[in-house]
């Protein structure tokens, strides 16, 4: 995206009686944007996770994460519709320079983490499709070029490309669901009864990983920008209200379909692989002539799967076609993730820093950063460490969630920005509860993770990083509480609800 911007600041009186001012911002705005001993690679990924003892234990986490995602997408869309500007641009104007740069770095970290997941997924998919002929390191290198191919194709119809990827992923999920036929009663029970019998830190990490996989923080920034592609008369309150309604319906349908696909995949894995031993799978793979039999040792240990071994086992259970369907689904999901990461990165960089890089330069930078650690793991370690890295990146995404949750709740609660469309009491309370729960879960995970390091040096480093993380989250939360109306905390905050005094700024985009 390329945006040409001419800034004019103009003070205005209260809003029009029967309309919504275009691009309304708090008078308390920040200044204009400034002119800123070797460890082995297996350190974090040695621990294996057994398949849950109940097919439905964590489905309620998936449902909850989807609902939270819908809440965030609603707030993001409303911000873009009402103000005509996306979340990164509003952050640029409301936060001081140092917090703004830190926030930008956190969002960029989430984008790079997502890009690494795409690289991992594509490398594994290519390895499966080639029956091991394309090694993992070669698959990683191939993903350097495939992104630019799809960026080129996007000029000829991005919507068609997204629909094609979505079709492939849906076919994958439905095919496996029909083959396995999981227990419907257990699925419904697992969705609506929040429990996890015998769960501990490992299961908590899985739950946090699910949240991080479903709700990606940079996608909140992206969603607030995508609504700007629609032609909306922001001076007409009725049109703005109608646009908010239809964007909410669109988000609901999209997330519901995504939820169903995720449920199908989770249920298939749990139903098909539960209570299987390594020796049983080894025998079955031998009988079907699978070349991956060596992945399963000859012992009675519980079968442990990841996205690589999962595809292999599906091939052993349901034939080679199932393995190829799984690999194509992973490849399609990875390429879809690439496109969302590219566009969100473009908006984030433009909004926070007023930098207008081409998509080619933008992808080249983030992909280069993502390729390096992934390539090292692929060269010096095996596929299990690569898939383990993918799980860790899911948790990393969840750790970045407060940097999307808190700003979006803050600015959509300000009447000086949203006018009549500011959050009501119910949305303020529900948003605050979501933020509190996410931050509490993340902090608990950090404590559990740090205590398992068994190194004084790592303890100290993790403690310092945790303190810095908490301090910044606390700073954002302080601004958020002031915006929510906790006036006793308003001692020098740059975010508050003064009378309607606005900065008007035209928005010109070519998409």
């Amino acid at each position: 995206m390329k945006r040409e911007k001419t800034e004019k600041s103009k003070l205005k009186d209260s809003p029009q009686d029967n309309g919504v001012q275009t691009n309304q911002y708090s008078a308390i705005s920040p200044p204009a944007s400034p002119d800123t001993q070797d460890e082995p690679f297996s350190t974090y990924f040695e621990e294996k996770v057994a398949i849950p003892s109940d097919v439905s234990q964590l489905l309620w986490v998936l449902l909850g994460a989807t609902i939270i995602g819908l809440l965030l997408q609603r707030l993001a869309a409303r911000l873009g519709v009402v103000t005509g500007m996306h979340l990164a641009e509003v952050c640029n104007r409301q936060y001081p320079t140092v917090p703004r740069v830190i926030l930008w770095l956190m969002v960029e970290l989430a984008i790079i983490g997502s890009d690494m997941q795409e690289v991992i997924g594509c490398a594994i998919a290519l390895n499966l499709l080639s029956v091991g002929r394309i090694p993992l390191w070669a698959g990683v290198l191939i993903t350097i070029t495939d992104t630019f191919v799809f960026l080129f194709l996007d000029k000829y119809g991005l919507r068609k490309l997204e629909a094609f990827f979505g079709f492939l992923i849906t076919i994958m999920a439905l095919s496996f669901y029909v083959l396995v036929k999981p227990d419907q009663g257990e699925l419904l029970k697992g969705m609506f009864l929040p429990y996890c019998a015998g769960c501990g830190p490992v299961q908590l990490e899985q739950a946090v990983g699910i949240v991080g996989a479903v709700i990606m923080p940079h996608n909140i920034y992206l969603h607030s920008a995508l609504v700007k592609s629609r032609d909306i008369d922001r001076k007409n309150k009725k049109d703005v209200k109608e646009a908010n309604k239809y964007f909410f319906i669109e988000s609901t349908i999209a997330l519901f379909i995504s939820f169903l696909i995720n449920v199908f995949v989770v249920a298939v894995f749990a139903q098909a692989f539960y209570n299987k031993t390594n020796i049983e799978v080894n025998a079955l793979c031998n009988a079907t002539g699978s070349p991956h039999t060596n992945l399963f040792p000859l012992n009675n240990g519980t079968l442990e799967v990841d996205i690589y071994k999962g595809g292999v086992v599906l091939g052993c259970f349901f034939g080679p076609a199932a393995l190829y369907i799984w690999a194509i689904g992973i490849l399609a999901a990875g390429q879809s993730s690439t496109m969302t990461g590219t566009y969100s990165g473009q908006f984030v960089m433009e909004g926070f820093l007023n930098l207008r890089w081409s998509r080619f330069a933008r992808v080249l930078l983030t992909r280069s950063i993502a390729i390096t650690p992934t390539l090292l793991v692929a060269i010096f370690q095996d596929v299990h460490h690569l898939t383990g890295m993918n799980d860790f990146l899911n948790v990393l995404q969840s750790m970045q969630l407060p940097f999307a949750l808190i700003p979006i709740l803050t600015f959509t609660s300000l009447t000086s920005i949203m006018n009549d469309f500011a959050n009501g009491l119910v949305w303020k309370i529900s948003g605050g509860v979501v933020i509190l729960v996410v931050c509490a879960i993340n902090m608990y995970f950090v404590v559990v993770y740090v205590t398992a390091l068994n190194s004084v040096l790592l303890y100290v480093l993790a403690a310092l990083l945790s303190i810095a993380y908490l301090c910044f989250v606390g700073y954002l939360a302080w601004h958020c509480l002031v915006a929510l109306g906790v006036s006793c905390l308003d001692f020098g905050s740059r975010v508050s609800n003064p009378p309607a005094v606005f900065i008007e700024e035209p928005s010109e985009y070519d998409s």
Side-chain angles (χ1 to χ4, degrees):
M1 296 278 178
K2 182 179 180 182
R3 185 163 73 95
E4 296 178 8
K5 182 169 77 173
T6 304
E7 284 207 61
K8 295 180 181 178
S9 299
K10 186 188 296 183
L11 296 179
K12 291 199 172 184
D13 294 323
S14 57
Q16 296 175 355
D17 292 339
N18 190 30
V20 178
Q21 291 285 343
T22 306
N23 306 328
Q24 301 168 3
Y25 289 92
S26 166
I28 307 179
S29 300
S33 299
D35 296 324
T36 28
Q37 219 153 71
D38 298 333
E39 291 290 327
F41 285 97
S42 58
T43 303
Y44 307 113
F45 315 118
E46 292 296 344
E47 185 172 13
K48 299 294 182 181
V49 179
I51 298 169
S53 58
D54 191 323
V55 65
S56 57
Q57 279 196 359
L58 294 178
L59 284 181
W60 60 271
V61 178
L62 182 60
L63 178 61
T66 305
I67 294 173
I68 293 174
L70 181 61
L71 164 67
L72 293 174
Q73 287 203 6
R74 176 189 182 272
L75 296 180
R78 285 172 69 88
L79 182 69
V81 168
V82 174
T83 67
M85 305 194 81
H86 56 77
L87 180 56
E89 292 175 307
V90 180
C91 290
N92 184 33
R93 285 153 182 77
Q94 293 292 342
Y95 290 125
T97 302
V98 173
R100 182 170 69 242
V101 171
I102 296 175
L103 192 60
W104 167 68
L105 291 174
M106 293 298 100
V107 179
E108 289 289 352
L109 182 62
I111 293 172
I112 292 170
S114 175
D115 208 43
M116 290 180 67
Q117 288 180 305
E118 188 275 327
V119 171
I120 292 170
C122 289
I124 291 174
L126 291 171
N127 183 271
L128 288 173
L129 287 170
S130 66
V131 197
R133 293 187 181 91
I134 299 179
L136 290 174
W137 62 266
V140 170
L141 292 177
I142 290 174
T143 59
I144 296 177
T145 59
D146 66 356
T147 300
F148 297 105
V149 172
F150 285 107
L151 284 178
F152 174 76
L153 291 176
D154 115 23
K155 295 181 180 179
Y156 301 96
L158 177 62
R159 296 290 183 185
K160 295 177 183 177
L161 200 58
E162 287 180 332
F164 175 67
F165 288 148
F167 173 76
L168 292 178
I169 297 169
T170 304
I171 291 299
M172 174 197 73
L174 288 175
S175 300
F176 292 142
Y177 193 81
V178 171
L179 282 173
V180 177
K181 299 177 182 178
D183 189 315
Q184 308 300 313
E186 286 296 311
L187 285 181
L188 293 175
K189 178 182 175 183
M191 286 183 200
F192 299 105
L193 291 180
Y195 77 103
C196 187
C199 289
V202 172
Q203 287 72 28
L204 177 62
E205 182 178 345
Q206 287 180 310
V208 174
I210 290 173
V211 174
V214 174
I215 311 172
M216 295 191 174
H218 58 281
N219 280 352
I220 305 303
Y221 287 83
L222 174 64
H223 201 72
S224 67
L226 290 180
V227 299
K228 296 174 65 176
S229 64
R230 272 71 164 184
D231 187 15
I232 302 168
D233 182 7
R234 292 184 174 85
K235 295 180 180 179
N236 189 314
K237 181 177 178 180
K238 181 180 178 181
D239 284 359
V240 173
K241 185 175 182 179
E242 188 176 64
N244 283 328
K245 179 181 74 174
Y246 286 112
F247 279 126
F248 182 66
I249 293 173
E250 179 185 356
S251 297
T252 302
I253 294 173
L255 284 175
F256 178 71
I257 294 173
S258 173
F259 172 70
L260 287 182
I261 292 174
N262 286 329
V263 166
F264 289 170
V265 173
V266 172
V268 164
F269 266 67
Q271 185 78 15
F273 305 153
Y274 169 58
N275 210 26
K276 299 292 191 301
T277 63
N278 288 320
I279 195 168
E280 289 175 344
V281 177
N282 185 291
L284 185 61
C285 288
N286 262 325
T288 57
S290 170
H292 304 287
T293 307
N294 61 322
L295 291 175
F296 312 102
L298 294 172
N299 59 45
N300 288 319
T302 302
L303 174 66
E304 298 166 346
V305 296
D306 46 41
I307 61 174
Y308 180 80
K309 289 175 69 174
V312 172
V313 177
L314 286 172
C316 295
F317 277 39
F318 307 112
L323 183 148
Y324 293 129
I325 292 173
W326 173 252
I328 291 172
I330 295 174
L331 192 62
Q335 296 306 322
S336 177
S337 176
T338 291
M339 291 187 292
T340 59
T342 299
Y343 286 108
S344 59
Q346 194 70 22
F347 285 120
V348 164
M349 183 170 284
E350 288 179 358
F352 278 109
L353 304 179
N354 290 326
L355 292 179
R356 300 169 188 84
W357 285 18
S358 68
R359 278 177 294 173
F360 181 89
R362 162 86 215 161
V363 175
L364 184 62
L365 174 64
T366 57
R367 182 51 56 94
S368 299
I369 296 173
I371 282 287
T372 304
T374 311
L375 184 60
L376 290 174
V377 174
I379 292 174
F380 296 107
Q381 299 289 343
D382 56 24
V383 68
H384 307 302
H385 297 87
L386 204 59
T387 52
M389 178 186 284
N390 188 57
D391 296 335
F392 177 76
L393 290 171
N394 276 338
V395 176
L396 178 65
Q397 295 277 17
S398 183
M399 296 292 292
Q400 306 304 314
L401 271 179
F403 307 124
L405 251 77
I406 299 178
I408 197 65
L409 180 62
T410 299
F411 300 128
T412 54
S413 298
L414 287 170
T415 54
S416 56
I417 292 179
M418 301 293 289
N419 197 19
D420 294 340
F421 295 95
N423 293 330
L425 182 61
V426 173
W427 281 97
K428 289 180 179 179
I429 293 175
S430 59
V433 170
V434 166
I435 291 174
L436 185 62
V437 169
V438 169
C439 291
I441 291 175
N442 287 341
M443 288 305 97
Y444 177 75
F445 169 73
V446 169
V447 170
V448 171
Y449 181 75
V450 170
T451 54
L453 294 177
N454 296 321
S455 169
V456 176
L457 180 61
L458 292 178
Y459 284 154
V460 174
L461 179 60
L464 293 176
L465 291 176
S466 299
I467 292 172
Y469 177 89
L470 285 174
C471 287
F472 188 58
V473 170
Y475 173 84
L476 297 177
W478 165 52
H479 280 289
C480 186
L481 289 172
V482 172
L484 293 176
V486 185
S487 56
C488 61
L489 296 177
D490 190 7
F491 40 88
S493 172
R494 305 178 74 103
V495 175
S496 59
N497 266 314
V501 181
F502 309 115
I503 296 174
E504 190 175 86
E505 181 177 350
S507 177
E508 297 178 0
Y509 266 82
D510 59 86
S511 298

